Amino acid sequence: MKLLFYAAKTYDMKSFDPELADFPEVEIDYIEHELDPKSAVLAKGYDAVCAFVSADVGEETLKVLKNAGVKAVLMRCAGFNNVDTDAAKRLGIMVKRVPAYSPEAVAELAMGLALAVNRRLYKAYNKVRENDYSLKNLRGVNMRGKTAGIVGTGKIGAYMCEQCRGFGMKVIAYDMYQNEALKEYVTYVSLDELIATSDLISLHCPLTDDTYHMINIESIKKMKDDVILINTSRGALISTNDLIEGIRLNKFLGVGLDVYEEETGNVYEDRSDEIMQHSVTSRLLSFPNVMITSHQGFYTKEALAAIAQTTLQNLKDAMAGVSTGNDV
Ligand code: NAI
């Protein structure tokens, strides 16, 4: 089985190659180019292609893949908003994805961001490197005894609840579908109550029409002063312009973002030598209480191994014409 792996990074090869021991029938060729209508022609002679979040898997690409003889598109991620699933069905190309991989990885980054912005670890690190051993501007708060408000208690949110309990926090949550298993120590409340009473707010729900800009200037004004806000889900859950207004109102002790509205185009690219034009991100980064990471929540050894295993199993299933819960 021949697989062409688009937009390959070194870390992809390091996580997929070891898993090939369990899939001796699979042969992978890695290329750096992103999958799009032009590069799709390179897949001639391959049984399947593997693509990621920024690929263009629209109808045009799928038609080229079909003509090249490709039978399956394997997304090495959970999301598939960049795939024209109707066109894939029409063309008879199977699309599979990795719906879940190490939710702990994302929750642990969320807690890491909360701790880092609370204690200004990013500043402390640089200060000591500069021989500045003063404690100026580093004062944080104890997490123990504070209220954590978790929005969305699915796979990742549930683990975030567990971590917050471990820190001795009172845990409240909002979700349209309550997770019975958490009710031993989590109290479900309305979104309004969560916003108004939490010391730490962490977002773990998907981006939908309902959740788009769920954090906006109205909700920010209802928050407690000195709240910590964490987003590791999707950038557009928060209105960035409203967040900037809220930061200027001195609402936040800290803001930690692994995702933000302007991230497309930045994610996994080195743009350190570019002059950024009209960048809202740059404005956000100008505040001393904001820390941004670049969509690295999933990026652990365990999560990458799980993605590789599932993707290779998806390839085997697709070639055997087997439908599973991973079908898109
Ligand atoms: P999940 O599907 O297990 O949980 C999502 C939860 O959100 C569900 O309990 C659902 O009922 C709830 N929800 C849906 N609509 C809601 C609303 N309007 N208000 C409140 N809750 C609502 O998803 P999982 O695996 O926990 O992932 C959560 C999010 O994390 C994903 O949507 C994705 O955007 C993000 N993610 C980020 C990664 C990163 O690298 N930073 C990696 C993987 C996922």
Side-chain angles (χ1 to χ4, degrees), residues 1-6 16 20 25-31 42-43 45-51 70 72-76 308 311-316 318-319:
M1 286 172 206
K2 290 191 73 183
L3 176 66
L4 185 60
F5 197 109
Y6 281 88
F16 271 76
L20 284 175
E25 64 278 55
V26 177
E27 195 184 311
I28 306 181
D29 283 326
Y30 299 98
I31 56 171
L42 299 172
Y46 289 87
D47 298 301
V49 297
C50 183
V70 168
V73 173
L74 309 172
M75 301 303 293
R76 53 181 186 278
T311 304
L312 293 171
Q313 187 58 48
N314 282 347
L315 172 62
K316 259 180 92 169
M319 291 307 108

PDB file of all heavy atoms in Angstrom, residues 1-6 16 20 25-31 42-43 45-51 70 72-76 308 311-316 318-319:
ATOM      1  N   MET A   1       0.852  -1.197   0.000  1.00  0.00           N
ATOM      2  CA  MET A   1       0.000   0.000   0.000  1.00  0.00           C
ATOM      3  C   MET A   1       0.880   1.237   0.000  1.00  0.00           C
ATOM      4  O   MET A   1       1.732   1.394   0.878  1.00  0.00           O
ATOM      5  CB  MET A   1      -0.831   0.045   1.295  1.00  0.00           C
ATOM      6  CG  MET A   1      -1.946  -0.935   1.323  1.00  0.00           C
ATOM      7  SD  MET A   1      -2.657  -0.920   2.979  1.00  0.00           S
ATOM      8  CE  MET A   1      -3.313  -2.583   3.004  1.00  0.00           C
ATOM      9  N   LYS A   2       0.664   2.081  -0.985  1.00  0.00           N
ATOM     10  CA  LYS A   2       1.548   3.262  -1.100  1.00  0.00           C
ATOM     11  C   LYS A   2       0.812   4.523  -0.639  1.00  0.00           C
ATOM     12  O   LYS A   2      -0.290   4.817  -1.100  1.00  0.00           O
ATOM     13  CB  LYS A   2       2.014   3.411  -2.545  1.00  0.00           C
ATOM     14  CG  LYS A   2       3.003   2.309  -2.956  1.00  0.00           C
ATOM     15  CD  LYS A   2       3.653   2.613  -4.282  1.00  0.00           C
ATOM     16  CE  LYS A   2       4.682   3.734  -4.133  1.00  0.00           C
ATOM     17  NZ  LYS A   2       5.277   4.110  -5.423  1.00  0.00           N
ATOM     18  N   LEU A   3       1.459   5.239   0.269  1.00  0.00           N
ATOM     19  CA  LEU A   3       0.849   6.441   0.850  1.00  0.00           C
ATOM     20  C   LEU A   3       1.735   7.652   0.559  1.00  0.00           C
ATOM     21  O   LEU A   3       2.938   7.629   0.857  1.00  0.00           O
ATOM     22  CB  LEU A   3       0.713   6.253   2.374  1.00  0.00           C
ATOM     23  CG  LEU A   3       0.187   7.441   3.187  1.00  0.00           C
ATOM     24  CD1 LEU A   3      -1.260   7.755   2.829  1.00  0.00           C
ATOM     25  CD2 LEU A   3       0.290   7.156   4.689  1.00  0.00           C
ATOM     26  N   LEU A   4       1.163   8.699  -0.018  1.00  0.00           N
ATOM     27  CA  LEU A   4       1.914   9.945  -0.197  1.00  0.00           C
ATOM     28  C   LEU A   4       1.527  10.903   0.918  1.00  0.00           C
ATOM     29  O   LEU A   4       0.350  11.231   1.101  1.00  0.00           O
ATOM     30  CB  LEU A   4       1.624  10.574  -1.569  1.00  0.00           C
ATOM     31  CG  LEU A   4       2.462  11.824  -1.873  1.00  0.00           C
ATOM     32  CD1 LEU A   4       3.961  11.513  -1.859  1.00  0.00           C
ATOM     33  CD2 LEU A   4       2.080  12.433  -3.226  1.00  0.00           C
ATOM     34  N   PHE A   5       2.529  11.345   1.668  1.00  0.00           N
ATOM     35  CA  PHE A   5       2.327  12.108   2.893  1.00  0.00           C
ATOM     36  C   PHE A   5       2.654  13.570   2.614  1.00  0.00           C
ATOM     37  O   PHE A   5       3.811  13.948   2.440  1.00  0.00           O
ATOM     38  CB  PHE A   5       3.268  11.535   3.952  1.00  0.00           C
ATOM     39  CG  PHE A   5       2.956  11.886   5.362  1.00  0.00           C
ATOM     40  CD1 PHE A   5       2.454  10.936   6.247  1.00  0.00           C
ATOM     41  CD2 PHE A   5       3.207  13.175   5.846  1.00  0.00           C
ATOM     42  CE1 PHE A   5       2.205  11.258   7.569  1.00  0.00           C
ATOM     43  CE2 PHE A   5       2.946  13.500   7.161  1.00  0.00           C
ATOM     44  CZ  PHE A   5       2.452  12.540   8.027  1.00  0.00           C
ATOM     45  N   TYR A   6       1.621  14.404   2.540  1.00  0.00           N
ATOM     46  CA  TYR A   6       1.812  15.831   2.195  1.00  0.00           C
ATOM     47  C   TYR A   6       2.192  16.659   3.428  1.00  0.00           C
ATOM     48  O   TYR A   6       1.859  16.303   4.564  1.00  0.00           O
ATOM     49  CB  TYR A   6       0.529  16.402   1.607  1.00  0.00           C
ATOM     50  CG  TYR A   6       0.322  16.035   0.147  1.00  0.00           C
ATOM     51  CD1 TYR A   6      -0.334  14.861  -0.201  1.00  0.00           C
ATOM     52  CD2 TYR A   6       0.799  16.853  -0.864  1.00  0.00           C
ATOM     53  CE1 TYR A   6      -0.526  14.514  -1.537  1.00  0.00           C
ATOM     54  CE2 TYR A   6       0.618  16.522  -2.204  1.00  0.00           C
ATOM     55  CZ  TYR A   6      -0.045  15.355  -2.532  1.00  0.00           C
ATOM     56  OH  TYR A   6      -0.229  15.022  -3.844  1.00  0.00           O
ATOM     57  N   PHE A  16       5.684   8.684  12.505  1.00  0.00           N
ATOM     58  CA  PHE A  16       5.088   7.648  11.641  1.00  0.00           C
ATOM     59  C   PHE A  16       6.048   6.481  11.391  1.00  0.00           C
ATOM     60  O   PHE A  16       5.626   5.328  11.414  1.00  0.00           O
ATOM     61  CB  PHE A  16       4.634   8.253  10.302  1.00  0.00           C
ATOM     62  CG  PHE A  16       3.218   8.779  10.350  1.00  0.00           C
ATOM     63  CD1 PHE A  16       2.931   9.988  10.981  1.00  0.00           C
ATOM     64  CD2 PHE A  16       2.162   8.067   9.799  1.00  0.00           C
ATOM     65  CE1 PHE A  16       1.631  10.476  11.056  1.00  0.00           C
ATOM     66  CE2 PHE A  16       0.858   8.541   9.865  1.00  0.00           C
ATOM     67  CZ  PHE A  16       0.600   9.747  10.482  1.00  0.00           C
ATOM     68  N   LEU A  20       5.518   1.997  11.505  1.00  0.00           N
ATOM     69  CA  LEU A  20       5.460   1.145  10.315  1.00  0.00           C
ATOM     70  C   LEU A  20       5.804  -0.308  10.643  1.00  0.00           C
ATOM     71  O   LEU A  20       5.449  -1.221   9.889  1.00  0.00           O
ATOM     72  CB  LEU A  20       6.413   1.674   9.235  1.00  0.00           C
ATOM     73  CG  LEU A  20       5.911   2.905   8.477  1.00  0.00           C
ATOM     74  CD1 LEU A  20       6.984   3.417   7.518  1.00  0.00           C
ATOM     75  CD2 LEU A  20       4.626   2.606   7.718  1.00  0.00           C
ATOM     76  N   GLU A  25       3.071  -3.773   5.366  1.00  0.00           N
ATOM     77  CA  GLU A  25       2.578  -3.676   3.984  1.00  0.00           C
ATOM     78  C   GLU A  25       2.509  -2.222   3.477  1.00  0.00           C
ATOM     79  O   GLU A  25       2.263  -1.966   2.316  1.00  0.00           O
ATOM     80  CB  GLU A  25       1.195  -4.332   3.860  1.00  0.00           C
ATOM     81  CG  GLU A  25       0.067  -3.684   4.658  1.00  0.00           C
ATOM     82  CD  GLU A  25       0.001  -4.091   6.124  1.00  0.00           C
ATOM     83  OE1 GLU A  25       1.029  -3.930   6.834  1.00  0.00           O
ATOM     84  OE2 GLU A  25      -1.070  -4.523   6.579  1.00  0.00           O
ATOM     85  N   VAL A  26       2.767  -1.253   4.398  1.00  0.00           N
ATOM     86  CA  VAL A  26       2.623   0.170   4.028  1.00  0.00           C
ATOM     87  C   VAL A  26       3.977   0.773   3.658  1.00  0.00           C
ATOM     88  O   VAL A  26       4.987   0.552   4.326  1.00  0.00           O
ATOM     89  CB  VAL A  26       2.002   0.977   5.198  1.00  0.00           C
ATOM     90  CG1 VAL A  26       1.927   2.469   4.833  1.00  0.00           C
ATOM     91  CG2 VAL A  26       0.617   0.447   5.549  1.00  0.00           C
ATOM     92  N   GLU A  27       3.957   1.550   2.594  1.00  0.00           N
ATOM     93  CA  GLU A  27       5.166   2.273   2.163  1.00  0.00           C
ATOM     94  C   GLU A  27       4.792   3.760   2.107  1.00  0.00           C
ATOM     95  O   GLU A  27       3.797   4.120   1.476  1.00  0.00           O
ATOM     96  CB  GLU A  27       5.503   1.771   0.758  1.00  0.00           C
ATOM     97  CG  GLU A  27       6.871   2.085   0.252  1.00  0.00           C
ATOM     98  CD  GLU A  27       6.999   1.592  -1.196  1.00  0.00           C
ATOM     99  OE1 GLU A  27       6.641   0.422  -1.456  1.00  0.00           O
ATOM    100  OE2 GLU A  27       7.411   2.402  -2.034  1.00  0.00           O
ATOM    101  N   ILE A  28       5.580   4.614   2.800  1.00  0.00           N
ATOM    102  CA  ILE A  28       5.241   6.050   2.836  1.00  0.00           C
ATOM    103  C   ILE A  28       6.310   6.861   2.124  1.00  0.00           C
ATOM    104  O   ILE A  28       7.504   6.664   2.338  1.00  0.00           O
ATOM    105  CB  ILE A  28       5.153   6.582   4.289  1.00  0.00           C
ATOM    106  CG1 ILE A  28       4.182   5.757   5.135  1.00  0.00           C
ATOM    107  CG2 ILE A  28       4.729   8.051   4.301  1.00  0.00           C
ATOM    108  CD1 ILE A  28       4.047   6.246   6.577  1.00  0.00           C
ATOM    109  N   ASP A  29       5.867   7.784   1.281  1.00  0.00           N
ATOM    110  CA  ASP A  29       6.777   8.810   0.754  1.00  0.00           C
ATOM    111  C   ASP A  29       6.332  10.150   1.332  1.00  0.00           C
ATOM    112  O   ASP A  29       5.155  10.498   1.266  1.00  0.00           O
ATOM    113  CB  ASP A  29       6.726   8.859  -0.774  1.00  0.00           C
ATOM    114  CG  ASP A  29       7.513   7.708  -1.386  1.00  0.00           C
ATOM    115  OD1 ASP A  29       8.540   7.314  -0.787  1.00  0.00           O
ATOM    116  OD2 ASP A  29       7.085   7.185  -2.427  1.00  0.00           O
ATOM    117  N   TYR A  30       7.298  10.873   1.909  1.00  0.00           N
ATOM    118  CA  TYR A  30       6.992  12.170   2.537  1.00  0.00           C
ATOM    119  C   TYR A  30       7.366  13.295   1.594  1.00  0.00           C
ATOM    120  O   TYR A  30       8.458  13.280   1.021  1.00  0.00           O
ATOM    121  CB  TYR A  30       7.802  12.337   3.822  1.00  0.00           C
ATOM    122  CG  TYR A  30       7.524  11.308   4.881  1.00  0.00           C
ATOM    123  CD1 TYR A  30       8.354  10.187   5.033  1.00  0.00           C
ATOM    124  CD2 TYR A  30       6.456  11.450   5.761  1.00  0.00           C
ATOM    125  CE1 TYR A  30       8.122   9.246   6.013  1.00  0.00           C
ATOM    126  CE2 TYR A  30       6.215  10.501   6.751  1.00  0.00           C
ATOM    127  CZ  TYR A  30       7.053   9.405   6.869  1.00  0.00           C
ATOM    128  OH  TYR A  30       6.810   8.475   7.852  1.00  0.00           O
ATOM    129  N   ILE A  31       6.488  14.283   1.434  1.00  0.00           N
ATOM    130  CA  ILE A  31       6.879  15.496   0.698  1.00  0.00           C
ATOM    131  C   ILE A  31       6.497  16.723   1.535  1.00  0.00           C
ATOM    132  O   ILE A  31       5.543  16.679   2.321  1.00  0.00           O
ATOM    133  CB  ILE A  31       6.250  15.586  -0.713  1.00  0.00           C
ATOM    134  CG1 ILE A  31       4.719  15.503  -0.657  1.00  0.00           C
ATOM    135  CG2 ILE A  31       6.809  14.519  -1.627  1.00  0.00           C
ATOM    136  CD1 ILE A  31       4.061  15.814  -2.001  1.00  0.00           C
ATOM    137  N   LEU A  42       0.894  14.888  -7.992  1.00  0.00           N
ATOM    138  CA  LEU A  42       2.053  14.094  -7.536  1.00  0.00           C
ATOM    139  C   LEU A  42       1.636  12.739  -6.967  1.00  0.00           C
ATOM    140  O   LEU A  42       2.462  11.850  -6.784  1.00  0.00           O
ATOM    141  CB  LEU A  42       2.833  14.878  -6.460  1.00  0.00           C
ATOM    142  CG  LEU A  42       3.428  16.212  -6.892  1.00  0.00           C
ATOM    143  CD1 LEU A  42       3.985  16.966  -5.688  1.00  0.00           C
ATOM    144  CD2 LEU A  42       4.540  15.972  -7.919  1.00  0.00           C
ATOM    145  N   ALA A  43       0.333  12.606  -6.673  1.00  0.00           N
ATOM    146  CA  ALA A  43      -0.139  11.373  -6.028  1.00  0.00           C
ATOM    147  C   ALA A  43      -0.370  10.239  -7.022  1.00  0.00           C
ATOM    148  O   ALA A  43      -0.832   9.162  -6.629  1.00  0.00           O
ATOM    149  CB  ALA A  43      -1.413  11.660  -5.236  1.00  0.00           C
ATOM    150  N   GLY A  45      -0.058   7.018  -8.858  1.00  0.00           N
ATOM    151  CA  GLY A  45       0.631   5.787  -8.480  1.00  0.00           C
ATOM    152  C   GLY A  45       0.520   5.464  -6.996  1.00  0.00           C
ATOM    153  O   GLY A  45       0.987   4.418  -6.555  1.00  0.00           O
ATOM    154  N   TYR A  46      -0.090   6.345  -6.228  1.00  0.00           N
ATOM    155  CA  TYR A  46      -0.274   6.089  -4.789  1.00  0.00           C
ATOM    156  C   TYR A  46      -1.713   5.639  -4.521  1.00  0.00           C
ATOM    157  O   TYR A  46      -2.647   6.048  -5.219  1.00  0.00           O
ATOM    158  CB  TYR A  46       0.021   7.353  -3.962  1.00  0.00           C
ATOM    159  CG  TYR A  46       1.492   7.691  -3.943  1.00  0.00           C
ATOM    160  CD1 TYR A  46       2.059   8.473  -4.953  1.00  0.00           C
ATOM    161  CD2 TYR A  46       2.332   7.196  -2.951  1.00  0.00           C
ATOM    162  CE1 TYR A  46       3.406   8.771  -4.963  1.00  0.00           C
ATOM    163  CE2 TYR A  46       3.686   7.485  -2.949  1.00  0.00           C
ATOM    164  CZ  TYR A  46       4.217   8.272  -3.956  1.00  0.00           C
ATOM    165  OH  TYR A  46       5.566   8.544  -3.955  1.00  0.00           O
ATOM    166  N   ASP A  47      -1.866   4.800  -3.497  1.00  0.00           N
ATOM    167  CA  ASP A  47      -3.214   4.333  -3.129  1.00  0.00           C
ATOM    168  C   ASP A  47      -3.968   5.387  -2.328  1.00  0.00           C
ATOM    169  O   ASP A  47      -5.187   5.486  -2.395  1.00  0.00           O
ATOM    170  CB  ASP A  47      -3.106   3.059  -2.265  1.00  0.00           C
ATOM    171  CG  ASP A  47      -2.448   1.933  -3.033  1.00  0.00           C
ATOM    172  OD1 ASP A  47      -2.982   1.565  -4.091  1.00  0.00           O
ATOM    173  OD2 ASP A  47      -1.376   1.457  -2.599  1.00  0.00           O
ATOM    174  N   ALA A  48      -3.212   6.160  -1.523  1.00  0.00           N
ATOM    175  CA  ALA A  48      -3.870   7.118  -0.633  1.00  0.00           C
ATOM    176  C   ALA A  48      -2.942   8.288  -0.372  1.00  0.00           C
ATOM    177  O   ALA A  48      -1.728   8.193  -0.587  1.00  0.00           O
ATOM    178  CB  ALA A  48      -4.226   6.439   0.692  1.00  0.00           C
ATOM    179  N   VAL A  49      -3.529   9.395   0.090  1.00  0.00           N
ATOM    180  CA  VAL A  49      -2.720  10.544   0.505  1.00  0.00           C
ATOM    181  C   VAL A  49      -3.055  10.864   1.960  1.00  0.00           C
ATOM    182  O   VAL A  49      -4.147  10.566   2.437  1.00  0.00           O
ATOM    183  CB  VAL A  49      -2.977  11.793  -0.367  1.00  0.00           C
ATOM    184  CG1 VAL A  49      -2.577  11.533  -1.812  1.00  0.00           C
ATOM    185  CG2 VAL A  49      -4.422  12.260  -0.271  1.00  0.00           C
ATOM    186  N   CYS A  50      -2.070  11.464   2.632  1.00  0.00           N
ATOM    187  CA  CYS A  50      -2.273  11.857   4.026  1.00  0.00           C
ATOM    188  C   CYS A  50      -2.124  13.380   4.103  1.00  0.00           C
ATOM    189  O   CYS A  50      -1.156  13.947   3.580  1.00  0.00           O
ATOM    190  CB  CYS A  50      -1.235  11.169   4.906  1.00  0.00           C
ATOM    191  SG  CYS A  50      -1.441  11.526   6.644  1.00  0.00           S
ATOM    192  N   ALA A  51      -3.094  14.054   4.725  1.00  0.00           N
ATOM    193  CA  ALA A  51      -3.092  15.525   4.748  1.00  0.00           C
ATOM    194  C   ALA A  51      -3.406  16.033   6.153  1.00  0.00           C
ATOM    195  O   ALA A  51      -3.859  15.283   7.026  1.00  0.00           O
ATOM    196  CB  ALA A  51      -4.110  16.060   3.748  1.00  0.00           C
ATOM    197  N   VAL A  70      -6.047   7.783  -6.823  1.00  0.00           N
ATOM    198  CA  VAL A  70      -6.032   7.732  -5.353  1.00  0.00           C
ATOM    199  C   VAL A  70      -7.401   7.277  -4.826  1.00  0.00           C
ATOM    200  O   VAL A  70      -8.438   7.759  -5.289  1.00  0.00           O
ATOM    201  CB  VAL A  70      -5.673   9.132  -4.789  1.00  0.00           C
ATOM    202  CG1 VAL A  70      -5.921   9.207  -3.292  1.00  0.00           C
ATOM    203  CG2 VAL A  70      -4.221   9.448  -5.109  1.00  0.00           C
ATOM    204  N   ALA A  72      -8.114   6.963  -1.299  1.00  0.00           N
ATOM    205  CA  ALA A  72      -8.493   7.455   0.041  1.00  0.00           C
ATOM    206  C   ALA A  72      -7.685   8.691   0.439  1.00  0.00           C
ATOM    207  O   ALA A  72      -6.506   8.823   0.071  1.00  0.00           O
ATOM    208  CB  ALA A  72      -8.283   6.365   1.081  1.00  0.00           C
ATOM    209  N   VAL A  73      -8.351   9.573   1.182  1.00  0.00           N
ATOM    210  CA  VAL A  73      -7.672  10.721   1.801  1.00  0.00           C
ATOM    211  C   VAL A  73      -7.678  10.477   3.301  1.00  0.00           C
ATOM    212  O   VAL A  73      -8.744  10.264   3.897  1.00  0.00           O
ATOM    213  CB  VAL A  73      -8.395  12.054   1.492  1.00  0.00           C
ATOM    214  CG1 VAL A  73      -7.780  13.201   2.294  1.00  0.00           C
ATOM    215  CG2 VAL A  73      -8.345  12.366  -0.001  1.00  0.00           C
ATOM    216  N   LEU A  74      -6.501  10.474   3.905  1.00  0.00           N
ATOM    217  CA  LEU A  74      -6.400  10.216   5.349  1.00  0.00           C
ATOM    218  C   LEU A  74      -5.990  11.507   6.045  1.00  0.00           C
ATOM    219  O   LEU A  74      -4.869  11.998   5.847  1.00  0.00           O
ATOM    220  CB  LEU A  74      -5.361   9.124   5.607  1.00  0.00           C
ATOM    221  CG  LEU A  74      -5.569   7.846   4.765  1.00  0.00           C
ATOM    222  CD1 LEU A  74      -4.403   6.906   4.936  1.00  0.00           C
ATOM    223  CD2 LEU A  74      -6.878   7.170   5.153  1.00  0.00           C
ATOM    224  N   MET A  75      -6.896  12.064   6.821  1.00  0.00           N
ATOM    225  CA  MET A  75      -6.590  13.280   7.564  1.00  0.00           C
ATOM    226  C   MET A  75      -5.886  12.872   8.867  1.00  0.00           C
ATOM    227  O   MET A  75      -6.416  12.057   9.625  1.00  0.00           O
ATOM    228  CB  MET A  75      -7.863  14.058   7.884  1.00  0.00           C
ATOM    229  CG  MET A  75      -8.658  14.481   6.646  1.00  0.00           C
ATOM    230  SD  MET A  75      -7.711  15.476   5.477  1.00  0.00           S
ATOM    231  CE  MET A  75      -7.455  16.971   6.428  1.00  0.00           C
ATOM    232  N   ARG A  76      -4.705  13.444   9.118  1.00  0.00           N
ATOM    233  CA  ARG A  76      -3.991  13.097  10.358  1.00  0.00           C
ATOM    234  C   ARG A  76      -4.353  14.105  11.464  1.00  0.00           C
ATOM    235  O   ARG A  76      -3.496  14.658  12.148  1.00  0.00           O
ATOM    236  CB  ARG A  76      -2.480  13.015  10.135  1.00  0.00           C
ATOM    237  CG  ARG A  76      -1.835  14.221   9.497  1.00  0.00           C
ATOM    238  CD  ARG A  76      -0.336  13.984   9.318  1.00  0.00           C
ATOM    239  NE  ARG A  76       0.366  15.145   8.843  1.00  0.00           N
ATOM    240  CZ  ARG A  76       0.455  15.540   7.576  1.00  0.00           C
ATOM    241  NH1 ARG A  76      -0.157  14.841   6.631  1.00  0.00           N
ATOM    242  NH2 ARG A  76       1.147  16.614   7.251  1.00  0.00           N
ATOM    243  N   ALA A 308      -0.382   8.568  14.446  1.00  0.00           N
ATOM    244  CA  ALA A 308       0.258   7.717  13.437  1.00  0.00           C
ATOM    245  C   ALA A 308      -0.404   6.338  13.387  1.00  0.00           C
ATOM    246  O   ALA A 308      -0.757   5.836  12.318  1.00  0.00           O
ATOM    247  CB  ALA A 308       1.754   7.595  13.741  1.00  0.00           C
ATOM    248  N   THR A 311      -3.912   6.617  11.859  1.00  0.00           N
ATOM    249  CA  THR A 311      -3.877   6.935  10.426  1.00  0.00           C
ATOM    250  C   THR A 311      -3.484   5.707   9.605  1.00  0.00           C
ATOM    251  O   THR A 311      -4.076   5.432   8.554  1.00  0.00           O
ATOM    252  CB  THR A 311      -2.879   8.090  10.158  1.00  0.00           C
ATOM    253  OG1 THR A 311      -3.265   9.204  10.959  1.00  0.00           O
ATOM    254  CG2 THR A 311      -2.875   8.496   8.696  1.00  0.00           C
ATOM    255  N   LEU A 312      -2.499   4.938  10.099  1.00  0.00           N
ATOM    256  CA  LEU A 312      -2.068   3.759   9.352  1.00  0.00           C
ATOM    257  C   LEU A 312      -3.153   2.673   9.373  1.00  0.00           C
ATOM    258  O   LEU A 312      -3.381   1.992   8.366  1.00  0.00           O
ATOM    259  CB  LEU A 312      -0.736   3.235   9.918  1.00  0.00           C
ATOM    260  CG  LEU A 312       0.439   4.205   9.677  1.00  0.00           C
ATOM    261  CD1 LEU A 312       1.686   3.764  10.434  1.00  0.00           C
ATOM    262  CD2 LEU A 312       0.750   4.318   8.177  1.00  0.00           C
ATOM    263  N   GLN A 313      -3.861   2.556  10.498  1.00  0.00           N
ATOM    264  CA  GLN A 313      -4.986   1.615  10.547  1.00  0.00           C
ATOM    265  C   GLN A 313      -6.093   2.091   9.609  1.00  0.00           C
ATOM    266  O   GLN A 313      -6.723   1.283   8.915  1.00  0.00           O
ATOM    267  CB  GLN A 313      -5.511   1.502  11.992  1.00  0.00           C
ATOM    268  CG  GLN A 313      -6.588   0.424  12.187  1.00  0.00           C
ATOM    269  CD  GLN A 313      -6.115  -0.978  11.777  1.00  0.00           C
ATOM    270  OE1 GLN A 313      -5.033  -1.405  12.159  1.00  0.00           O
ATOM    271  NE2 GLN A 313      -6.916  -1.672  10.980  1.00  0.00           N
ATOM    272  N   ASN A 314      -6.310   3.422   9.548  1.00  0.00           N
ATOM    273  CA  ASN A 314      -7.301   3.980   8.622  1.00  0.00           C
ATOM    274  C   ASN A 314      -6.951   3.623   7.176  1.00  0.00           C
ATOM    275  O   ASN A 314      -7.834   3.334   6.366  1.00  0.00           O
ATOM    276  CB  ASN A 314      -7.367   5.509   8.759  1.00  0.00           C
ATOM    277  CG  ASN A 314      -8.161   5.950   9.986  1.00  0.00           C
ATOM    278  OD1 ASN A 314      -8.864   5.153  10.600  1.00  0.00           O
ATOM    279  ND2 ASN A 314      -8.049   7.225  10.333  1.00  0.00           N
ATOM    280  N   LEU A 315      -5.648   3.640   6.861  1.00  0.00           N
ATOM    281  CA  LEU A 315      -5.213   3.297   5.500  1.00  0.00           C
ATOM    282  C   LEU A 315      -5.578   1.838   5.200  1.00  0.00           C
ATOM    283  O   LEU A 315      -6.163   1.529   4.161  1.00  0.00           O
ATOM    284  CB  LEU A 315      -3.697   3.507   5.371  1.00  0.00           C
ATOM    285  CG  LEU A 315      -3.050   3.002   4.072  1.00  0.00           C
ATOM    286  CD1 LEU A 315      -3.622   3.728   2.851  1.00  0.00           C
ATOM    287  CD2 LEU A 315      -1.537   3.189   4.096  1.00  0.00           C
ATOM    288  N   LYS A 316      -5.247   0.951   6.162  1.00  0.00           N
ATOM    289  CA  LYS A 316      -5.558  -0.481   5.961  1.00  0.00           C
ATOM    290  C   LYS A 316      -7.060  -0.680   5.766  1.00  0.00           C
ATOM    291  O   LYS A 316      -7.506  -1.399   4.873  1.00  0.00           O
ATOM    292  CB  LYS A 316      -5.105  -1.277   7.199  1.00  0.00           C
ATOM    293  CG  LYS A 316      -3.799  -1.992   7.012  1.00  0.00           C
ATOM    294  CD  LYS A 316      -3.399  -2.742   8.247  1.00  0.00           C
ATOM    295  CE  LYS A 316      -3.887  -4.171   8.232  1.00  0.00           C
ATOM    296  NZ  LYS A 316      -3.274  -4.965   9.313  1.00  0.00           N
ATOM    297  N   ALA A 318      -9.291   1.531   4.810  1.00  0.00           N
ATOM    298  CA  ALA A 318      -9.774   2.137   3.560  1.00  0.00           C
ATOM    299  C   ALA A 318      -9.472   1.216   2.380  1.00  0.00           C
ATOM    300  O   ALA A 318     -10.312   1.010   1.505  1.00  0.00           O
ATOM    301  CB  ALA A 318      -9.131   3.506   3.361  1.00  0.00           C
ATOM    302  N   MET A 319      -8.278   0.629   2.371  1.00  0.00           N
ATOM    303  CA  MET A 319      -7.910  -0.241   1.249  1.00  0.00           C
ATOM    304  C   MET A 319      -8.745  -1.517   1.229  1.00  0.00           C
ATOM    305  O   MET A 319      -9.003  -2.091   0.187  1.00  0.00           O
ATOM    306  CB  MET A 319      -6.407  -0.591   1.316  1.00  0.00           C
ATOM    307  CG  MET A 319      -5.481   0.579   1.050  1.00  0.00           C
ATOM    308  SD  MET A 319      -5.845   1.441  -0.494  1.00  0.00           S
ATOM    309  CE  MET A 319      -6.537   2.958   0.083  1.00  0.00           C
TER     310      MET A 319
END
